[in-house]
Structures are given as structure tokens and as C-alpha cells.
Amino acid sequence: MLNKNSTQAKQKELLNPHHRELKKLLRYIHRLANHKLGYPVSLLTYLGIVDNQILGINPDTLANILLNNVGDPFVDSETSLMEVKKHERMLIHILEKYYGLNKNEARGYVTTGGTEGNFASLWWSKRYLINCALDKLIETDDLIKLLAKQEQELMAALAKISINAYQARASHLQKIIDVKNNLHEKKEIMQQLLTPTVFYSKDATHYSIPKISEILHLNIHTVATNKDGSMNLTSLKKELILHQGSHPHSSIIVIANIGTTITGAIDDVPNIKKIIDEIKPKLTFTMHMDGALTGFVLPIIKPFGDIPNYFDAIGVNTLVFSAHKYPGLSQPCGIILARRAFFDKAFEKSERAIDYVGNIRDVTITGSRSGLNVLMFYNALHTLGLKKDNNKLKIMLDENIENATYLYHKLIEIYGEKDVYYPNQFNVMFPKPSMRIAKKYQLMITGEIATICVLTNVTKNLIHRFISDLKIDRRKTMKANETKNNIRIEDLTEKHLKPAVDLFVKSFCDSEPITKHLGMTHAEYIPFATGVTQKAIKDGLGKVVLNENNQVIGLIIGEDLADTFVPNFSLYPKMKPIYGLLEELSNPFINGKKFKKNKVLHTWIAAIDEKYRSHGIYIELGMSHVESAIRKGFNFIYSDFTNPKSEAIVRQFKILRLCNKLKISDYTFQSGKPFEGVSGEMTSYITPIKPGVTLESLPECYTSTEKVK
């Protein structure tokens, strides 16, 4: 059966013109690789010196050899022939037809992703707008040179006028001032002509736009957004009028979003164009569509209705989208597409060319570009049948939207309609769940909102698994919140002594690994727990958690390192190895130091009733303990832990230092290993708790007791 299927697959492949085309390309590239001498590429993977099979890339494949498209894809290299520019052009021609442009009217190239596409668009736009203003620039530059010459001549003439000829000097100085003012005005015009202004939606446009504008020395101007993240057209009109008044010679670049990252909002491009056209005097402008995700399906979703094309008809010159987002390639890549008239104008004065590959115009950002990305993109378009029509793509998109709608209704069942938002094609937003759920399902988190982007990988099966996990997570969270709402934290006092000791004993004898390993009974442990708790009450360095019935369900105990608890081993001899282990853990930090009072607090005992664990009470109790210590004047907390969960207290702090770490089973006491077989490690930390205190000031909290040799 396997052989039969294999034979059928091979026969099908032989009948596929697209597969035959790529196999022919592979044979051609093989011949080129075996004769390559000139260019600085050593072909390590092709030679097998670097084996890419671990990455799933087999020898003798197009993926295992360098394919380098250098510069403009519409000009083939003369001698650097290991390129696939022909396929890049075919790819562009497929998209040209798809977006409604006339044959051979599109220019562009395959990019590394949306950011590079935005970069190329703004660079091309700046060149285009400057070239559109070239006559005025030349005229203004000539006037600047003439005025500068006049200024020099007037200054020279001023030196020849007698210092006593007050009237003549005053008249001459006025001429100099007039020329200087005129010169400043012309320079300001020149600056405006050379520096277009980018208008983009505040907090909705991709973060790359202001970054690129800074690199290209473009002015930036933000526009307010609507609730769904789309550009507010009233705000745009106001900002354009204000800009026209203050910078009448500055051309503009408008960034229109075709699917914002969070809400998927699409800007009203036709009406943006209408507003620009209505501004008087007429603005010199170009418009760019950033369609990172949704740009690829623009002709199918038709947000602007039935239009003949997505460039001329709506006044757009450039469009970018990320192919790794949609349709969803395995490597980050994208494309920039531009109207040919715009592109040719942008590069009509281009002096840069790459001589050693055949004087190819340098119109790309990166220069060398991945030919493999081009082939993957080209292959995806063929697989989706886009060369013929968009039927397959439409089916895929319809399924995405159906699943997004399905997810939307499932989330409404959990949160209610008010807290779930599905404004556009792919993105569904809802209240942020726990970070465990957010990480497991890789949700987009912004503030208290989570976003799911329903693309082809998001099946109903995946949605069911997510919803099931979310319901369980919600129940746990609600239970934890309910528990927190019914508890309170108080200082440990005499009235809490017996229940606190009972919890102390039960927690450590029944749950603490090292105590449990030694087989200590409750009766054997009570004297130790009582002594520690009584000292904490006396020192005022303990906290308890009480439930709605005033029962002690948690406690935490600290001690001042200037006045530590002194054990009485005659009352609890089995505690000796535990104390020995704690001393070995603390020695690197404690030894050789005499601590000053109320400077370093040692947190060493904490317990939560088993029924109330995993509700976040432990961290809340720990932070209350820290706040109390700060009020008492402590600068630092020293803590030791027998399990990673307990470390959650100190993990709340950004600054902490690991003092020591011991493997419990390795500890030796009286020539034996009392904890052999106990897994895990013990750790100790020091952390500053008072605002403004740093670890560097720790030596101020003690004096050294080590003898100077």
C-alpha cells in the first residue's frame, strides 16, 4: 500500500508543472554551484561541511544552497547567477493581478517582514516627494545662494561706509537685515521641502513607523483613533489643516492601517484620500497601506466595496504585508508593492548602483535578500491557486472568520457580551486570564486585555481545548479571589499562640520534607514551635492569616539577626541535624558578622493550612510581613527556603542576591547523611526592602567579628 501511494505521489508530482519548474531550477542551480568562483560565498551547506538535516533541510534541495537576490528584482544580475529574481517577478505579477493593477504596473520586492516593508515604503516615499519638489528645490537653492552672495557683498560694503555716516550705515544695516530674513525664510522652505511629515494613528500604528521616521529624518504627527483603533477622520482633517498653516511647503505621508495589531481595525482609505484632496491649498502627498496581517486578504474582504484596484482607485502608492502572518510561511518575510509611476519617480535621479553584479539599482533596504523566502512565497501562492483565482484563499478566510465568530460566542458564555470584543476579521479580545493560560496559548496581552488572532492554525478543536482550560482556570481564580476576600492578616499576638503553634507543628511535621524524613511526631515538635512562636510574639515579628471564622490558616515568623532564637536541644534533640543544615546554609552570610539591631530581618518560618494553599495567600502574607518590617526600620530581609515555591516571596523583588545553595541529600552530620534520599535544594537570599536602599549598603548593617591577622 505504501509503495502504491508513493508511486501515485511521484506520478502526480511529474504531472504538476509547478513542481517540474522547481526541479528544473534545482538542476540549474546545481550547475551554477559547481562552477562558482567569483563571489565571496563558500557554500558550506551545499558541500555538506555544515549538515542542515537536523533542521529538516535535506542535501540536494533548494533550501540547502544559497539563493541570493541582490537589489532590484526587475534587473537580473549579469554574473551573480545563483538568484531567483525571475520567480520574484512572477510572484509580484501574481499579486499585481490580484490587487487589480494593470500588467507590469507593480514594482516592489520580497522583504524580511512588515518592518522592512514599512522602511522601504517611507524611504521610497521621501525620495518620491523630494523628486516631485525638485524644480522648487533647485529654484529655492539658487535663491539661497544668491541671497548668501548678497549678504557677503553687503557686509563687505558696510566696512567701507564711514563709522560717522549714521544715516548711510543705518540704511545699509536694514538691507542686511532684510537679506538675512529672506535667507532664513528660504532656508526654512528648503528644510520643509526636504523633510516630509508622516501622519499616523496614535497607539494603533505599528511601532516601526516612528522608529523608521526617526532614522530617515522625517517629521511625525499623530492622529487620534476611534474606539476600534481606526484613524479618526475628524482628527486627521484638523491636524492636516494645522500642519498646512504652520508648514505650508512640507509634503505629507499618510500611514493607513489595514488591520491593526490588536483590534484588526482597517482605516477608511478612500475617505482619507477625499479629506486630503479637500485641503486648500493642495497638499503634496503619498499614502502607504500597512497591511501586516490583513493586507493580503484585502481584495477578498473588500472593506472599501468593489473597486477596480487597490492603488489608483483609492490614491495609494505603496502596500506592505507580512507573508509569515498571512498566508503563514515558516520564515519571517513579506513584500512591498508600489505603483510603477511612483517607483520610477522615486528613483529617477538614483545614482547608486551595484557595479559588481551588473549595475543593478540599489532600491532595497537589505541589498542581499533570501531567495529561499522568495521561493517559499511563490510556492505558497501557487498552492493557494492565486495565479488562477482567489477561491482557495477565500475558503480559508471564510473558515478563519467562522472560527473567530465561534470563539467569540464561546467566550461570551464565560464572560458575558459586555467583556468580549470582536471588532474585525481575526482578532477576538477578552479579559486577561492567568499568565499560565496566557503563556500556554501564547496570547497577546495589552494591559488587562488578552487577544486571540484566529488564523488557519486555530481550529475548533484547539478552541475547545482552550475554552476548557480557561473555564478551569477561571474557577480556580474565582475560588482564590473568594478566599482572599474572606481572610485578613493580623500581627501575631498572645491570643494566637495555641492555634499558631498547632498550624506550625502540623505543617512542618506533615508536609516539610526534612522534618517528615526524620519522623518527628507532633509531640516532639511542639516545644520547638512554641519557643519560636513565643519569641516572635515578644519581638513583634510575626503575622497570622485568619479566615472568616477567625481560625489561623497561615503564619509567618521572623527574627532580628541581631537577636536570634537560641534552641534548647534538650527539649527537641531530633532538631539537631535540621539546625545543623540551616547553619551550613547560612554560614557564608552570617559568619564573621555582628548585626546591628533592626537592620536585617531573618524570615525563616512560614506555613499555610493545606486547604488554603495555591490561592496566592503565601505571597500576600509575605508582602504584609515585609511592609511591617519596613515600618519597624529594617533595611534588608535574609530568607532561607527548603523548596522553590517558598521563594515566591523574594521573587517579588527586582534586586536580590543568592547567598548559598545546598543539595539537601548531600548534607553530612556526625559522619552520616541524615537527609539521604530527600530530593531538592535549600537556598538563601538577601534582598533590600526599604525604598532607596541598595545591596551596596549592606556592610553598614553589621560590624566584622573576624580577627585581623
Side-chain angles (χ1 to χ4, degrees):
M1 188 69 181
L2 183 64
N3 290 337
K4 185 180 178 182
N5 287 342
S6 178
T7 303
Q8 288 176 343
K10 287 181 179 178
Q11 288 174 344
K12 187 177 180 182
E13 187 176 298
L14 288 171
L15 293 172
N16 189 325
H18 175 54
H19 287 182
R20 291 202 305 272
E21 172 199 354
L22 293 179
K23 285 185 177 294
K24 183 179 177 182
L25 173 64
L26 177 60
R27 291 194 295 271
Y28 171 66
I29 295 295
H30 273 317
R31 288 198 299 273
L32 292 175
N34 288 323
H35 294 86
K36 190 202 74 65
L37 293 175
Y39 290 93
V41 177
S42 60
L43 303 181
L44 286 183
T45 58
Y46 179 74
L47 296 171
I49 296 169
V50 173
D51 186 354
N52 277 334
Q53 290 188 83
I54 189 66
L55 304 176
I57 301 172
N58 294 323
D60 299 323
T61 61
L62 288 166
N64 201 50
I65 188 167
L66 178 77
L67 300 171
N68 185 6
N69 283 14
V70 180
D72 190 347
F74 285 84
V75 182
D76 289 329
S77 302
E78 290 182 354
T79 58
S80 179
L81 302 179
M82 292 175 68
E83 63 180 14
V84 286
K85 287 189 175 180
K86 173 187 171 185
H87 295 80
E88 192 167 14
R89 291 194 293 273
M90 288 193 291
L91 185 159
I92 290 170
H93 289 321
I94 291 171
L95 293 174
E96 172 183 72
K97 181 182 176 184
Y98 175 62
Y99 285 105
L101 287 161
N102 293 327
K103 188 175 181 180
N104 205 32
E105 278 301 305
R107 287 294 181 266
Y109 72 91
V110 173
T111 67
T112 56
T115 294
E116 186 190 344
N118 285 334
F119 203 147
S121 171
L122 288 178
W123 175 42
W124 292 0
S125 296
K126 181 177 181 179
R127 291 184 61 96
Y128 168 79
L129 292 168
I130 288 174
N131 283 339
C132 285
L134 201 57
D135 290 343
K136 193 167 184 179
L137 277 165
I138 293 169
E139 177 189 336
T140 306
D141 186 55
D142 287 343
L143 284 171
I144 288 171
K145 289 173 182 175
L146 180 62
L147 289 167
K149 185 180 178 183
Q150 287 179 9
E151 183 184 16
Q152 289 176 351
E153 289 172 350
L154 287 168
M155 292 299 290
L158 179 64
K160 296 176 182 178
I161 300 173
S162 171
I163 198 163
N164 295 322
Y166 302 117
Q167 190 64 37
R169 286 183 68 84
S171 175
H172 200 82
L173 283 168
Q174 186 59 52
K175 289 179 182 178
I176 293 172
I177 291 169
D178 291 343
V179 169
K180 280 182 177 289
N181 287 339
N182 201 358
L183 183 59
H184 175 76
E185 182 185 324
K186 295 296 181 285
K187 285 182 177 179
E188 176 61 26
I189 291 171
M190 177 70 83
Q191 182 64 27
Q192 288 185 31
L193 291 171
L194 290 170
T195 314
T197 299
V198 179
F199 284 78
Y200 66 93
S201 300
K202 185 179 181 182
D203 300 327
T205 295
H206 192 259
Y207 62 84
S208 66
I209 295 298
K211 173 177 68 177
I212 296 162
S213 299
E214 180 184 343
I215 294 168
L216 292 174
H217 299 288
L218 300 169
N219 293 323
I220 56 174
H221 210 108
T222 59
V223 179
T225 57
N226 300 314
K227 183 184 176 182
D228 68 348
S230 62
M231 184 179 285
N232 184 291
L233 300 189
T234 302
S235 174
L236 173 66
K237 186 172 184 178
K238 182 189 79 172
E239 298 300 340
L240 287 174
I241 291 169
L242 291 172
H243 174 76
Q244 179 77 318
S246 59
H247 296 82
H249 304 283
S250 174
S251 53
I252 67 166
I253 304 167
V254 178
I255 308 296
N257 291 316
I258 308 300
T260 55
T261 304
I262 304 302
T263 64
I266 296 175
D267 290 338
D268 187 351
V269 178
N271 277 317
I272 290 174
K273 170 68 163 51
K274 185 179 177 183
I275 286 170
I276 294 170
D277 287 341
E278 288 172 352
I279 302 293
K280 303 298 179 188
K282 190 172 177 61
L283 289 164
T284 303
F285 81 100
T286 181
M287 193 165 4
H288 166 60
M289 290 197 297
D290 182 359
L293 170 63
T294 316
F296 183 57
V297 293
L298 197 57
I300 298 176
I301 60 176
K302 298 182 178 181
F304 315 128
D306 288 317
I307 55 176
N309 66 62
Y310 284 85
F311 287 82
D312 291 357
I314 54 176
V316 169
N317 279 323
T318 53
L319 163 69
V320 302
F321 65 82
S322 298
H324 60 276
K325 293 181 178 177
Y326 213 106
L329 303 188
S330 60
Q331 297 297 316
C333 72
I335 195 163
I336 174 170
L337 295 172
R339 294 168 64 197
R340 183 175 179 176
F342 162 86
F343 179 85
D344 289 345
K345 185 69 175 178
F347 288 95
E348 69 178 357
K349 301 294 181 182
S350 178
E351 298 84 18
R352 282 190 299 275
I354 312 164
D355 177 60
Y356 57 84
V357 292
N359 288 313
I360 296 171
R361 280 191 303 184
D362 183 18
V363 301
T364 68
I365 298 297
T366 56
S368 289
R369 296 175 294 106
S370 169
L372 178 59
N373 280 354
V374 169
L375 292 181
M376 287 196 300
F377 200 166
Y378 177 67
N379 187 50
L381 296 186
H382 263 274
T383 304
L384 291 171
L386 209 58
K387 188 174 182 180
K388 180 184 175 184
D389 53 45
N390 62 22
N391 292 340
K392 272 190 180 181
L393 185 58
K394 188 177 185 304
I395 291 169
M396 192 164 77
L397 177 63
D398 287 344
E399 187 176 289
N400 299 152
I401 294 172
E402 179 190 335
N403 287 342
T405 306
Y406 180 75
L407 171 65
Y408 171 63
H409 289 297
K410 285 293 179 184
L411 288 168
I412 285 176
E413 290 175 10
I414 297 173
Y415 293 100
E417 194 168 349
K418 183 182 175 183
D419 290 330
V420 186
Y421 188 43
Y422 175 36
N424 294 294
Q425 289 73 31
F426 307 114
N427 293 11
V428 184
M429 292 172 282
F430 59 101
K432 183 178 77 172
S434 71
M435 284 309 293
R436 184 187 72 81
I437 291 290
K439 288 179 178 179
K440 180 176 180 179
Y441 291 97
Q442 301 162 65
L443 308 180
M444 283 193 291
I445 303 295
T446 49
E448 294 303 309
I449 300 296
T451 301
I452 291 176
C453 194
V454 183
L455 300 179
T456 308
N457 66 294
V458 183
T459 61
K460 280 194 171 69
N461 181 265
L462 178 57
I463 291 171
H464 290 156
R465 281 185 280 141
F466 167 71
I467 292 294
S468 176
D469 272 0
L470 184 63
K471 285 178 178 177
I472 294 169
D473 184 71
R474 284 262 296 165
R475 284 197 293 270
K476 285 182 178 178
T477 303
M478 289 170 71
K479 187 177 178 182
N481 289 338
E482 184 181 339
T483 301
K484 285 183 182 180
N485 291 335
N486 292 326
I487 66 163
R488 67 184 187 280
I489 298 172
E490 293 182 358
D491 290 334
L492 174 63
T493 62
E494 194 66 40
K495 69 180 180 181
H496 305 121
L497 178 61
K498 186 179 184 310
V501 169
D502 289 344
L503 176 62
F504 193 158
V505 172
K506 188 175 186 305
S507 296
F508 279 80
C509 287
D510 297 351
S511 303
E512 178 60 44
I514 57 176
T515 311
K516 195 174 179 181
H517 184 75
L518 294 176
M520 291 189 74
T521 65
H522 286 208
E524 289 172 321
Y525 202 78
I526 285 175
F528 170 73
T530 302
V532 170
T533 307
Q534 285 175 332
K535 185 175 189 306
I537 292 171
K538 176 176 170 289
D539 296 342
L541 294 176
K543 293 277 184 181
V544 289
V545 183
L546 305 175
N547 66 10
E548 65 273 19
N549 298 319
N550 286 323
Q551 295 170 319
V552 174
I553 60 167
L555 82 154
I556 192 165
I557 288 173
E559 63 177 0
D560 190 338
L561 280 184
D563 179 22
T564 58
F565 177 76
V566 179
N568 183 352
F569 291 122
S570 65
L571 298 176
Y572 32 84
K574 282 189 179 180
M575 285 294 296
K576 284 184 179 180
I578 295 177
Y579 244 87
L581 177 59
L582 289 170
E583 284 182 355
E584 185 165 322
L585 179 69
S586 63
N587 275 343
F589 179 71
I590 302 290
N591 271 5
K593 301 181 180 73
K594 182 179 180 181
F595 289 92
K596 299 176 183 178
K597 192 166 178 58
N598 286 358
K599 290 297 180 183
V600 182
L601 180 71
H602 175 209
T603 300
W604 67 316
I605 301 295
I608 301 292
D609 188 293
E610 190 175 7
K611 290 184 292 186
Y612 291 86
R613 291 171 193 169
S614 303
H615 291 168
I617 297 173
Y618 186 78
I619 293 175
E620 195 172 335
L621 174 61
M623 296 313 292
S624 174
H625 177 58
V626 168
E627 289 168 9
S628 179
I630 293 170
R631 287 196 298 272
K632 292 178 186 297
F634 287 95
N635 291 345
F636 294 88
I637 279 190
Y638 172 73
S639 310
D640 35 37
F641 305 102
T642 55
N643 63 73
K645 289 184 179 178
S646 304
E647 294 182 27
I649 290 180
V650 293
R651 291 296 179 192
Q652 303 298 304
F653 296 95
K654 292 182 179 178
I655 303 170
L656 66 155
R657 179 188 294 161
L658 177 68
C659 299
N660 198 12
K661 181 185 286 189
L662 296 177
K663 190 174 180 181
I664 296 171
S665 60
D666 287 348
Y667 171 66
T668 302
F669 179 77
Q670 295 179 349
S671 302
K673 290 189 175 181
F675 305 114
E676 191 169 9
V678 178
S679 62
E681 295 175 324
M682 292 189 73
T683 54
S684 61
Y685 295 88
I686 184 71
T687 181
I689 56 172
K690 187 177 287 186
V693 173
T694 64
L695 285 168
E696 285 69 28
S697 65
L698 181 61
E700 298 171 12
C701 298
Y702 60 83
T703 56
S704 178
T705 60
E706 292 182 352
K707 293 180 180 179
V708 180
K709 295 182 180 179

